[in-house]
Amino acid sequence: MVSYNAKLKVHIVNFDDIDSWGDKIVGDVLFSAMGTTLSDAGNKDAQWKVDYAYQYEVAKHARANGVQTYALVSAMGATAKSRLFYPMMKGKLEEAVKDLKFKRTIIARPPSLIRENTTRMSEKLSLPILRFFNAIGLLKNMAPMTTEVVAKAMIEAVEGNQDKVVVLEPSDMRRGSRA
C-alpha cells in the first residue's frame, strides 16, 4: 500500500474526458511532466495526443480554475519552428502554455533523462555513449540528467523566482536554477 500526504487526493482519470474531472485541477502550482515516446505511442498522432493535447487541456483547465503557477517539463531544443517532430511539438506546447498567461510559468528543458529501470533500447544504448563523450569533454550540454535533478530545479524555480516566465536549460538545472 502506498502512503500519501493527508492533503493529497488521488484521482484516476480518463484523459479523453477531461470535462468530467477538469474542475478538480486546483491549487497554487501545477507540475506537468506527462509524455510518451513515439515507439510507445505507436504513431505521431498518438504521441501528439499525450505530449501536447492532454497537457494543454490540463493547463487550460488549471488556468480556468485559478492555478497561479504552471511548471512544465518540455525538452532540450524545443522550438515551434523545428522541422523535427518532437522539438516542434514541445515548442508548440510551450507557446500555447505561455499564451494561457499564468501568473508564473516555469519551463524545464532537460536533455535525455536517466531512468535506471528503463526498458527502452535506445536509452540503454545512448546513455553510455553520451557518458563516454561527456567524460572526454564533449557534448556536455547533452549530458543525461536524472529526473531528481529536473524536479529539484523546478521546485527551486517555483519557490524562488518571481519572473513571469522562466525557462530552465540543462546548465541551469545542473547548477541549480538560481531562481
Side-chain angles (χ1 to χ4, degrees), residues 10-25:
V10 176
H11 301 279
I12 299 172
V13 300
N14 175 353
F15 279 94
D16 290 319
D17 188 19
I18 194 167
D19 290 333
S20 70
W21 56 270
D23 62 324
K24 293 176 176 43
I25 306 170

Side-chain angles (χ1 to χ4, degrees), residues 114 145-153:
I114 299 170
M145 182 179 294
T146 65
T147 55
E148 290 83 7
V149 169
V150 177
K152 182 179 180 200

Side-chain angles (χ1 to χ4, degrees), residues 8-140:
L8 180 66
K9 293 180 184 173
V10 176
H11 301 279
I12 299 172
V13 300
N14 175 353
F15 279 94
D16 290 319
D17 188 19
I18 194 167
D19 290 333
S20 70
W21 56 270
D23 62 324
K24 293 176 176 43
I25 306 170
V26 295
D28 298 322
V29 180
L30 171 65
F31 288 89
S32 182
M34 186 182 338
T36 188
T37 64
L38 184 56
S39 175
D40 287 344
N43 60 56
K44 288 180 180 177
D45 289 338
Q47 186 177 23
W48 181 275
K49 187 176 187 178
V50 172
D51 280 52
Y52 181 94
Y54 288 163
Q55 289 200 93
Y56 179 70
E57 286 299 316
V58 169
K60 191 168 69 172
H61 278 73
R63 183 69 183 101
N65 294 341
V67 173
Q68 297 293 305
T69 301
Y70 182 81
L72 172 68
V73 176
S74 184
M76 188 172 97
T79 175
K81 295 177 183 174
S82 179
R83 292 179 183 220
L84 301 173
F85 175 73
Y86 188 75
M88 177 271 300
M89 174 180 58
K90 291 296 191 176
K92 286 187 180 233
L93 177 61
E94 288 182 12
E95 288 182 4
V97 166
K98 288 177 193 175
D99 287 345
L100 291 174
K101 308 264 188 253
F102 283 90
K103 183 177 178 184
R104 295 182 53 226
T105 302
I106 312 298
I107 297 171
R109 293 180 176 163
S112 296
L113 295 173
I114 299 170
R115 299 180 311 145
E116 297 302 329
N117 297 323
T118 187
T119 58
R120 292 172 46 200
M121 188 55 69
S122 62
E123 285 182 12
K124 288 181 179 184
L125 295 174
S126 66
L127 289 177
I129 293 168
L130 279 172
R131 285 180 176 144
F132 168 77
F133 282 119
N134 297 158
I136 61 172
L138 300 174
L139 305 176
K140 287 283 189 183

